[in-house]
Amino acid sequence: MAQHEWEAVIGLEVHCQLSTKTKIFSGANTAYGAEPNTQADAVTLGLPGVLPVLNGAALEMAIKFGLSVDAQIARRCVFARKHYFYPDLPKGYQISQYELPIVEHGVLDIEVNGATKRIGITRAHMEEDAGKSLHENFVGETGIDLNRAGTPLIEIVSEPDIRSSDEAVAYLKKLHQIVVYLGICDGNMQEGSFRCDANVSVRRKGTEKFGTRTETKNINSFRYVHAAIDFEIERQIEVIEGGGKIIQETRLYNPGTGETRSMRVKEDANDYRYFPDPDLLPVIVTDDEIERIRATLPELPEAKRDRFVAQYGLPVYDAGVLTGEGPLADYYETVVKDSGADPKLCANWIITDLLGGLNKAGHGIQDSVITAPMMAGLMKRMADNTLSGKLAKEVFEAMSDGEGDADAIIDRKGLRQITDDGAILAVIQQVMDANPGQLAQYREGKDKLFGFFVGQVMKASQGKANPDAVNRLLKTALAGE
Amino acid sequence: MTLTPDQIQQVAHLARLDLAPDRVAIYAQQLTNILDMVGQLSGASTEAVLPMAHPLDMHQRLRPDVVTEPNQREAFQAHAPAVQDGLYRVPKVIE
């Protein structure tokens, strides 16, 4: 197989659950994990006589997303009925948007292998999620839980601008970061808050015409998206090179085997008979409304990263790590501001010591026992020379173990660094008195013994002597001047 | 415009209507009559008429994001043909 002769063309559709408290068209709770059907109200169940009323918060979140990807926000958008029969959708249609979505023509810049690439966002429309079908514990039947039905979604549709699984994952991660930053989605992929359908086709390099595409549905992790796309590209090339044809179809990814398989749906299944939902009036968004929402947008990841580089003098890598999540960036800024310590020192401690430990335990910054003010307390004591790096590590460990804040630990354990020249000189004298042989050798020219004396002084001071002061004072003392 | 028996069958299938074969021709004729009647509109001059967005000249009102619906599962499920462990039971859905 000659993969290099082929080019993949990929477009992604991302379903993103909006973090509203209630459903898109009713006042039923949307919290995850409730007992089955306890959040399925009359509107969700599609009982006769009910009418949908649009949740203003869902609309605002969709607009926020549109603004964050430089898209056009429709001043007038319309909800449509998309008809299909499936028991997780009791009305027999999904309320979605078709001809006039709320968001159109956005862009997202991604970085892959150091190069920036612009991916077009065709549209993002609002719609309601479906319920869940449960097949376990049922023979010849299916159990339906409609708690999720009616949860507001935005479906974000990209242009077919993506050319590899790496680009697809970079795009998804960027999108994920943005919706989480905006606070419009919790981003929990395991719970299905952020899931992806991948449209994949291949064509010979240099040709313009798209090949026939397949759609792989509901992939719920970055890793699976990567694997599913790679599998699909390879499969399609094999089929075509073997003289076969790609059939336009929906496929499912099986994480167990790493393969996709055809869902074998009937040909007419995609006749959705869209029409404007007569139960819902056109939604009008005014310029004032859009400007009011624009003013509430938080600083987005890229802008924040660039600011961290400029404002704190951080390397791009450090700034990228620290702005990876909004709460982490806030944590960092609190530590720098409250401690007044060197921003690079703070970055090192947070990235290496704090995040290192949290990642190992599978925790996020929100789970950290060491809060930002506590971390600032530690940095402050390093900045004012109360703690050496070594003592700071000890205090850090104690804080991790829940022993309180830095000052309390320093006092309790007597970890204050000794910076007073007189006190250090007394220790030096004591060490010189105890090691007359080494002292004589040093004075005869055995310079290497200097390290020995530093070690002895640090040991005698229980690691509390300021290393710089020890070096300076020891030189003079050993010389006997 | 004349609807064919195939189109009638297709529409009935999409709507999950069980259509007796001897009714197909009758519905084809009746639906064709309805379409023809509505079709007369295309002969009307609309030059001076503004397009209407919606039969009601109003726009959508928004609802505050506040939980108003209590759990009424027991009441709703009392009407369901089959339930188990809080779930609605339906004929097996095949992926």
Side-chain angles (χ1 to χ4, degrees):
Chain A
M1 183 172 49
Q3 275 235 16
H4 62 274
E5 291 174 11
W6 294 89
E7 178 178 62
V9 176
I10 302 161
L12 298 179
E13 291 169 19
V14 174
H15 286 90
C16 171
Q17 275 182 1
L18 299 176
S19 312
T20 53
K21 294 184 192 71
T22 63
K23 298 196 174 178
I24 183 167
F25 297 119
S26 81
N29 204 320
T30 52
Y32 182 83
E35 283 293 303
N37 292 308
T38 53
Q39 296 171 174
D41 64 319
V43 170
T44 305
L45 293 173
L47 294 185
V50 298
L51 280 176
V53 186
L54 181 61
N55 184 340
L59 175 66
E60 183 159 336
M61 288 179 185
I63 293 172
K64 264 190 183 175
F65 172 74
L67 292 174
S68 72
V69 292
D70 291 327
Q72 290 172 16
I73 309 299
R75 298 306 191 266
R76 177 173 170 278
C77 67
V78 169
F79 283 96
R81 293 184 180 183
K82 176 182 181 179
H83 296 83
Y84 61 95
F85 288 99
Y86 210 76
D88 61 14
L89 192 74
K91 297 192 298 298
Y93 58 87
Q94 178 192 31
I95 305 179
S96 182
Q97 295 190 306
Y98 189 54
E99 285 171 323
L100 296 169
I102 180 74
V103 170
E104 279 185 291
H105 310 303
V107 290
L108 195 67
D109 290 334
I110 59 167
E111 276 160 48
V112 179
N113 301 326
T116 301
K117 177 167 177 177
R118 174 155 289 192
I119 308 295
I121 291 175
T122 316
R123 57 188 272 154
H125 61 257
M126 306 176 69
E127 62 184 25
E128 55 180 346
D129 208 345
K132 277 184 189 163
S133 306
L134 300 145
H135 305 284
E136 284 165 33
N137 306 328
F138 292 94
V139 180
E141 289 188 322
T142 298
I144 303 293
D145 176 8
L146 295 168
N147 281 349
R148 193 180 69 177
T151 299
L153 298 175
I154 47 173
E155 179 177 333
I156 304 160
V157 182
S158 86
E159 290 288 316
D161 291 342
I162 299 164
R163 292 288 172 270
S164 69
S165 51
D166 285 347
E167 287 183 11
V169 170
Y171 167 83
L172 272 185
K173 284 191 170 166
K174 189 81 180 280
L175 210 54
H176 184 268
Q177 196 182 41
I178 287 176
V179 296
V180 173
Y181 249 81
L182 289 173
I184 64 171
C185 175
D186 67 19
N188 190 324
M189 296 179 80
Q190 264 160 4
E191 292 175 4
S193 301
F194 187 90
R195 46 193 205 262
C196 171
D197 302 342
N199 290 301
V200 178
S201 66
V202 297
R203 63 182 174 194
R204 287 197 192 270
K205 266 185 196 159
T207 54
E208 281 290 314
K209 199 168 169 280
F210 291 154
T212 305
R213 68 185 157 85
T214 62
E215 181 179 18
T216 304
K217 283 268 190 202
N218 279 335
I219 324 173
N220 70 348
S221 88
F222 296 126
R223 195 156 54 88
Y224 293 164
V225 167
H226 200 273
I229 290 175
D230 279 345
F231 177 85
E232 199 47 29
I233 293 172
E234 212 166 296
R235 184 189 72 83
Q236 292 188 10
I237 294 173
E238 248 172 63
V239 168
I240 299 171
E241 293 201 333
K245 271 200 167 149
I246 301 301
I247 307 159
Q248 183 164 346
E249 63 181 354
T250 304
R251 299 179 70 87
L252 278 182
Y253 176 70
N254 179 344
T257 61
E259 297 179 347
T260 66
R261 64 173 170 86
S262 173
M263 276 177 74
R264 295 183 210 294
V265 279
K266 284 186 202 152
E267 285 161 29
D268 60 10
N270 285 346
D271 192 343
Y272 292 128
R273 290 151 290 143
Y274 280 101
F275 63 76
D277 190 330
D279 286 346
L280 287 152
L281 293 157
V283 178
I284 304 297
V285 181
T286 63
D287 290 352
D288 286 352
E289 191 76 9
I290 290 172
E291 289 319 307
R292 181 187 64 75
I293 294 168
R294 193 192 303 277
T296 68
L297 285 183
E299 185 181 29
L300 288 169
E302 231 170 55
K304 205 183 269 282
R305 187 193 63 188
D306 294 347
R307 178 170 65 80
F308 274 29
V309 170
Q311 183 177 343
Y312 301 118
L314 296 179
V316 174
Y317 174 81
D318 289 15
V321 172
L322 293 170
T323 56
E325 292 170 47
L328 176 60
D330 293 345
Y331 187 103
Y332 173 74
E333 295 211 273
T334 305
V335 171
V336 172
K337 190 161 153 271
D338 287 8
S339 69
D342 172 23
K344 176 63 181 148
L345 178 79
C346 296
N348 289 349
W349 274 83
I350 291 173
I351 293 172
T352 310
D353 298 276
L354 186 70
L355 289 183
L358 288 172
N359 288 344
K360 224 179 271 171
H363 289 153
I365 190 74
Q366 299 91 325
D367 310 315
S368 177
V369 176
I370 304 176
T371 62
M374 286 167 76
M375 193 70 178
L378 179 64
M379 294 298 106
K380 201 186 280 180
R381 293 298 162 246
M382 288 193 74
D384 69 9
N385 261 331
T386 305
L387 295 174
S388 63
K390 188 165 169 294
L391 290 173
K393 286 252 194 285
E394 222 177 308
V395 175
F396 180 85
E397 293 304 326
M399 288 201 300
S400 305
D401 294 339
E403 293 182 30
D405 65 21
D407 283 348
I409 292 166
I410 291 167
D411 283 346
R412 183 152 16 92
K413 300 200 169 189
L415 293 176
R416 210 165 283 279
Q417 178 170 243
I418 303 167
T419 49
D420 174 55
D421 281 6
I424 294 173
L425 276 173
V427 179
I428 288 174
Q429 193 56 53
Q430 192 188 320
V431 168
M432 292 199 305
D433 292 347
N435 299 282
Q438 282 86 345
L439 181 61
Q441 285 177 34
Y442 179 83
R443 286 183 173 164
E444 282 157 19
K446 207 168 173 191
D447 292 348
K448 268 195 270 176
L449 280 170
F450 187 74
F452 165 80
F453 282 103
V454 172
Q456 291 299 309
V457 172
M458 291 309 288
K459 195 172 158 194
S461 73
Q462 291 162 315
K464 285 186 266 179
N466 176 283
D468 292 341
V470 170
N471 275 307
R472 175 170 50 81
L473 296 170
L474 199 56
K475 270 210 177 96
T476 327
L478 288 175
E481 287 153 4
Chain B
M1 164 153 200
T2 305
L3 288 169
T4 66
D6 282 353
Q7 285 172 312
I8 296 298
Q9 298 275 21
Q10 170 70 2
V11 170
H13 170 70
L14 287 171
R16 299 299 186 271
L17 292 175
D18 192 7
L19 203 56
D22 61 339
R23 307 297 292 170
V24 172
I26 299 167
Y27 287 132
Q29 188 53 55
Q30 291 181 344
L31 285 170
T32 298
N33 291 347
I34 292 171
L35 289 180
D36 284 345
M37 186 188 76
V38 177
Q40 292 175 28
L41 278 174
S42 57
S45 165
T46 53
E47 260 173 55
V49 183
L50 282 176
M52 186 167 60
H54 193 278
L56 302 175
D57 189 20
M58 297 161 75
H59 60 84
Q60 180 64 34
R61 289 185 50 181
L62 303 176
R63 183 175 58 74
D65 186 23
V66 176
V67 177
T68 54
E69 299 303 310
N71 171 23
Q72 299 187 72
R73 185 174 76 178
E74 301 315 315
F76 291 136
Q77 295 202 332
H79 303 285
V83 293
Q84 181 184 321
D85 306 328
L87 298 164
Y88 292 94
R89 266 166 50 201
V90 299
K92 190 169 179 65
V93 179
I94 302 157
E95 268 182 354

